[in-house]
Each structure stands twice: as structure tokens, then as C-alpha cells.
Amino acid sequence: MDERHWLTLAEFAEIASFAQSFPGAIFFNLAVAIGMRERGVAGAAAALGGILVPAITVACAVERLQTALDANLLIHRILAGIVAAAAGLFASTFLQISKTTWERFRFTGIALAAFAFYLIVARHVPLPYVILGLLPLGIGLAWRSA
Amino acid sequence: MAFGIKRATAAAGAAIMVKLPLLAAIGGHFLPLALVTFGGVNVIIPALHTICVSELHWLGDEQFYDLLALAFAAPGPNMLFVAMIGSHVAGVAGAITATLCLVLPPVTLLAFVSHWWFRARPGRLRTVLQNAVLPATTGVFAAASYLILHAVIHRPLGLAISIVTLVVTLRTRLHPLWMLGLGGLIGAFTQL
């Protein structure tokens, strides 16, 4: 955006909000949305490939390395520290998203979230059923408050 | 020369054939998750743990968290985690299968809708769509946080790192990588 002037800031913000309302990683969605907008399907495919090829290469290399060094205690300790920090990151994302849910839907939203948590953690219901099962209720709530 | 290439292709083909059942299993388990990843790969971490560790024993508990840490710390999108699992299960072909299964469905849907979306600029529909998955996503994020906290909670120092990271992330605009790096550093020098 800054270098090529493909988009203005406002356009970028609009595409970002569009990409965010879809399932999938925002990173890929954004790339495809911008690619589609600029050059159609070919642009989207190019944008996606441009991210996927290096990403998969890095992932494979890192995974090979980890498996090869599996017995290495030091690496395992470092990774355990990173996981501990990641747990904090997850908790902060959870708190932020809970705040948004509370602001939009109050108790009904939190109750629905608690129900989803219960289904996943205590009842081990597969994720697709939980999300799709609760979707009609979510749409009802969102429609009423929109 | 041409014969050599032919033989190499045949060998690669044979290797893929051997892995086909595994690749199909990856696809069968990951595809249903693709369309419910509202909020990125993070929301499917509990589901991935259930499928890959508890049910299919593709990798051990420790290795699951090691790869998760690497996916967070390595450059690139966190979606890399799925590629790492695929790579662990069935090599490069596994990594490609796992990533495409999770990335292609939402991206295809988006590509189909984008043309209409940018022209129609649906205001209310967009708000409804963005908000509709919010409660369920909140619950799923709670489950993901619970799962990962569960892995560190029996180590006091690990829990301390989590809490400090939580406070720092909520209070400052520090890039998350700093906290991940600090966690790794503390982990390296202590018996976490």
C-alpha cells in the first residue's frame, strides 16, 4: 500500500473489515481480497501463492528441525517458556473479545459464550457442530441489535 | 537424463501413493474445520489437539505444544502450525495438504463473494455477519486459553510468565514477539 499505491487507507480499512468477517486467517483473506480487487482470480491466486509457498517451506524446515532435535532439553525448555507466554496472549485475546461480546450482547452473549465453552471443554463436541449450531442464535442476536 | 527424471518422478509418485491414506485422513479431519475458523487458526487449536493428540495419536502432547510455540515464534502467519502438523504426519505433501485444506475453502468463498460485496457495500448484513459469530468465538477462545493454560499451570514459573504476558499485553502496545522471546529466555535458564 505504501510502496505501490494500489490502495488508499480507506480502501484498505474497508477490505480489512471485509476479510475479518470471513472464516480463515485474516492474513490470507486480506491477500486474496486485495488480489481479487486488483487483478481478479489470477491476482488472488498469485497473492495466495506468494504467501503460501514461503510459509509452507518455513513450516516444513522448522518441523524437521524440531523433530531432529526432539531429545534436546534446552530447546524443549525454551519452547515451554514460549508456550507459557502464548497462554498469556490467548488469555488477553479472550478478555478483549469478551469485552466486545459484553458490549454488544450483554448477558445473552456471555451466556452463549459460556455454553460454547461448556460444549467444547466438558462435552467434547466437535468444533464445527458448536459454531454452526450456535450460529442461528448468534444471527438472531446480531440482527436484533444491528 | 530424461530416463533419470522419469524415474525420479515415478519414485515421487510412489511415495505419494504410499502416503495417500494419511493425506486423505488429514483432509478428512481438517476440511470440516476450515469454514469455522472465525478469528484465524487460534480458534481451532483445541479441536486440533483433540484430533491429532487424543484421537489419532499423530503426535504427543509435548510435541504439540513445542510446534505451537514454534508456529508463534517463527516468521509468517500462525496458520503455519497446521503446516507443521501436516509435515510431522506426512512430510512436505502432508504440510501442503493440511494448509490447503484449511486455507482454500474460506478463501474461495471470499473470492466468490468479494465482487458482489464491494459493489453492494451491505451495511447491516456486514454488521450482522461480524457480530453473529462473536459469542461462539468468545467461548472457543476461552476453550483455547483454558487448554494452553492447562499445559503450563502445574509449573509456577510458567504460570507467572503467562500472567505477566497477559498484563503487559492488556496494558501496553508492546509487540507480542517480545513477550514470547522473554518467555523463551526465562525457559532456557530455568527448569520450567
Side-chain angles (χ1 to χ4, degrees), chain A residues 27 56 63:
Chain A
F27 204 56
I56 293 180
E63 187 276 323

Side-chain angles (χ1 to χ4, degrees), chain A residues 22 65 103:
Chain A
F22 269 79
L65 207 62
E103 283 164 359

Side-chain angles (χ1 to χ4, degrees), chain B residues 16-180:
Chain B
I16 294 275
M17 287 301 278
V18 173
K19 280 179 187 165
L20 262 185
L22 262 182
L23 297 180
I26 293 175
H29 282 96
F30 286 9
L31 264 181
L33 297 176
L35 287 174
V36 294
T37 49
F38 293 96
V41 73
N42 293 346
V43 300
I44 60 166
I45 286 172
L48 288 174
H49 187 267
T50 308
I51 293 168
C52 305
V53 179
S54 312
E55 285 177 7
L56 299 172
H57 308 289
W58 275 343
L59 63 175
D61 206 37
E62 290 205 333
Q63 200 148 35
F64 183 86
Y65 289 109
D66 280 1
L67 289 182
L68 185 65
L70 285 168
F72 271 94
N78 290 347
M79 196 61 108
L80 280 188
F81 182 47
V82 189
M84 287 178 183
I85 293 181
S87 166
H88 187 78
V89 175
V92 177
I96 295 171
T97 310
T99 314
L100 291 186
C101 281
L102 278 170
V103 170
L104 282 188
V107 150
T108 312
L109 178 70
L110 183 136
F112 269 112
V113 179
S114 70
H115 200 65
W116 165 80
W117 190 283
F118 287 123
R119 219 179 272 170
R121 296 169 173 266
R124 188 177 185 189
L125 182 64
R126 179 191 338 220
T127 321
V128 169
L129 278 182
Q130 272 169 354
N131 289 341
V133 287
L134 202 55
T137 307
T138 309
V140 177
F141 248 105
S145 309
Y146 173 82
L147 178 82
I148 300 175
L149 272 174
H150 204 71
V152 295
I153 210 155
H154 54 278
R155 311 182 189 105
L157 193 60
L159 191 61
I161 295 175
S162 307
I163 293 170
V164 170
T165 309
L166 170 64
V167 173
V168 168
T169 319
L170 288 179
R171 288 287 164 86
T172 68
R173 292 178 153 270
L174 197 69
H175 196 277
L177 266 181
W178 286 104
M179 293 315 293
L180 293 176

